[in-house]
Amino acid sequence: MQDQIIDLALELTTVTKAKIADLDQIMLRTQMLSMNARLEAARAGEAGKSFAVVAQEMGSVSQEVTALSASLNSAITENANRIQDAGQEMSLSFRGSRYADLARNAVEIMDRNLYERSCDVRWWATDSAVVDAAENPGAEALRHATSRLATILRSYTVYLDLWIADRSGRVIANGRPGRYGNAVGADVSREEWFRQGMKTADGDSFVVCDVETAPRLQGAQVATYATAIREGGAAQGRPVGVLGIFFDWEPQAQAIVEGISLSEEERSHSRVMLLDSRFRVIASSEKGAFGKSYPLQADNPWGYSLQDGKIVAYGLTPGYETYRGLGWFGCIESAAGAG
């Protein structure tokens, strides 16, 4: 709508200036006729004096109209420029606000997804097969736990693997030993998800780590959730191990950034991103951007700015229910002169 208003205003300006040009031509002809009339009046002598007065007045009127035409042309040009500037500002404001809403929507969709992951890890850590394996890691208990984790993975296809680590940080069971055969026996005692998982206060607590590539999961991008496995599965039980669940980040995040409601024309000169709290790109509609830093200038939870000829719109994670979010941003960068 804003673009239509601008186009109509500019079209009106063009038509008006064309008509003024036509009027100028008419006045030029009038001035020439006035001049010729004065010359003829001079030749007529005394008989032409009255006609000379009329011819002089015609010339004066013509000059006044020409001056008025020039003034009008200048005013129209000035106002047309102001209309164009105001229209461009209106268009940028509309696009910036819309993109900021879409950016916030992108990270909100991801938050809702990750809220479910926080529920999953707390629930599965109380599963009897998981608790038995951590408390009494005999062959039969570990076999049963492995089978149970595999069953979960067949239903929850958004995960790459689920690991049970004992109190010392040694992985004792995983759900996909055929795919990730180097998991069992691995020492994860120094990894963030294990260390923070052992420190969780109770069965309602969990930890989530920044999205990273996981060498033991064939270099896949993962969002790792963890919580302590507690004695007897009780919420206040003593920690006997840690359950780590590895969310298959890349395809889920890619579906979100590519599913944002942009037109084909908008998409051709824009990129949609998810940024973590350190402004690292953790998902992007532009290939190969994962892990790179992005210079986002976010002074508010929501907004947009112009940077180097581009609209940069963003929205901070609002969290979802008990999931407070990790300070992530949705971000859309688009060429300011397009659209």
Side-chain angles (χ1 to χ4, degrees):
M1 179 62 72
Q2 289 89 345
D3 291 341
Q4 291 178 345
I5 292 172
I6 295 170
D7 290 343
L8 286 172
L10 293 178
E11 183 178 349
L12 178 60
T13 300
T14 301
V15 171
T16 303
K17 293 179 77 171
K19 297 303 181 184
I20 290 173
D22 292 342
L23 182 60
D24 286 341
Q25 288 298 316
I26 294 171
M27 289 300 100
L28 179 60
R29 289 163 57 193
T30 302
Q31 288 176 16
M32 292 178 66
L33 288 171
S34 173
M35 185 183 302
N36 289 334
R38 289 200 300 273
L39 290 172
E40 291 300 324
R43 288 196 189 100
E46 189 67 27
K49 283 186 176 181
S50 297
F51 186 64
V53 173
V54 175
Q56 180 68 35
E57 190 62 24
M58 283 180 60
S60 297
V61 170
S62 176
Q63 289 175 358
E64 289 178 11
V65 172
T66 300
L68 179 61
S69 173
S71 176
L72 180 59
N73 191 49
S74 176
I76 288 174
T77 299
E78 180 182 350
N79 283 307
N81 290 335
R82 291 173 61 187
I83 289 172
Q84 188 169 14
D85 291 344
Q88 289 175 344
E89 185 175 343
M90 185 188 304
S91 179
L92 286 174
S93 177
F94 173 79
R95 289 175 61 205
S97 296
R98 176 170 171 266
Y99 289 161
D101 284 339
L102 290 174
R104 182 168 54 188
N105 180 247
V107 76
E108 185 175 17
I109 292 172
M110 181 53 74
D111 271 353
R112 293 186 180 190
N113 194 322
L114 297 183
Y115 164 72
E116 296 179 9
R117 312 289 71 86
S118 71
C119 296
D120 291 344
V121 71
R122 288 175 287 179
W123 170 30
W124 295 336
T126 65
D127 187 284
S128 59
V130 173
V131 175
D132 288 347
E135 286 186 327
N136 303 293
E140 180 56 28
L142 294 178
R143 184 200 65 77
H144 182 50
T146 299
S147 175
R148 175 60 178 154
L149 296 180
T151 298
I152 292 173
L153 287 170
R154 285 194 293 273
S155 300
Y156 292 81
T157 57
V158 296
Y159 292 103
L160 289 170
D161 207 1
L162 312 178
W163 292 2
I164 299 172
D166 64 18
R167 293 187 62 191
S168 69
R170 184 176 65 91
V171 178
I172 57 176
N174 72 316
R176 288 190 170 129
R179 183 184 300 181
Y180 306 114
N182 61 344
V184 172
D187 180 4
V188 296
S189 60
R190 296 183 180 181
E191 295 189 15
E192 189 73 6
W193 65 269
F194 175 80
R195 293 191 303 105
Q196 296 302 321
M198 282 295 292
K199 295 178 182 178
T200 50
D202 52 43
D204 293 326
S205 304
F206 68 93
V207 295
V208 55
C209 301
D210 285 335
V211 178
E212 301 284 359
T213 55
R216 291 194 181 96
L217 295 170
Q218 300 173 358
Q221 297 171 13
V222 298
T224 305
Y225 284 70
T227 192
I229 303 167
R230 298 183 179 277
E231 199 170 43
Q236 302 299 327
R238 178 176 64 92
V240 292
V242 173
L243 174 66
I245 65 176
F246 303 96
F247 180 62
D248 190 5
W249 172 260
E250 186 173 9
Q252 320 305 326
Q254 206 64 31
I256 289 175
V257 297
E258 292 179 359
I260 289 299
S261 299
L262 296 175
S263 68
E264 288 301 316
E265 193 275 333
E266 288 175 320
R267 198 173 294 278
S268 69
H269 54 74
S270 304
R271 62 169 168 161
V272 183
M273 297 169 283
L274 294 178
L275 310 175
D276 67 14
S277 59
R278 294 178 287 166
F279 300 145
R280 286 189 318 140
V281 177
I282 52 177
S284 175
S285 55
E286 178 185 71
K287 303 300 182 184
F290 181 82
K292 295 180 179 178
S293 294
Y294 185 80
L296 180 65
Q297 299 173 14
D299 299 324
N300 298 291
W302 173 97
Y304 68 92
S305 62
L306 291 178
Q307 299 178 25
D308 299 325
K310 297 176 182 178
I311 298 175
V312 178
Y314 60 88
L316 176 65
T317 170
Y320 184 72
E321 295 195 9
T322 58
Y323 185 76
R324 292 176 296 176
L326 300 173
W328 291 357
F329 286 87
C331 182
I332 297 178
E333 177 191 273
S334 182

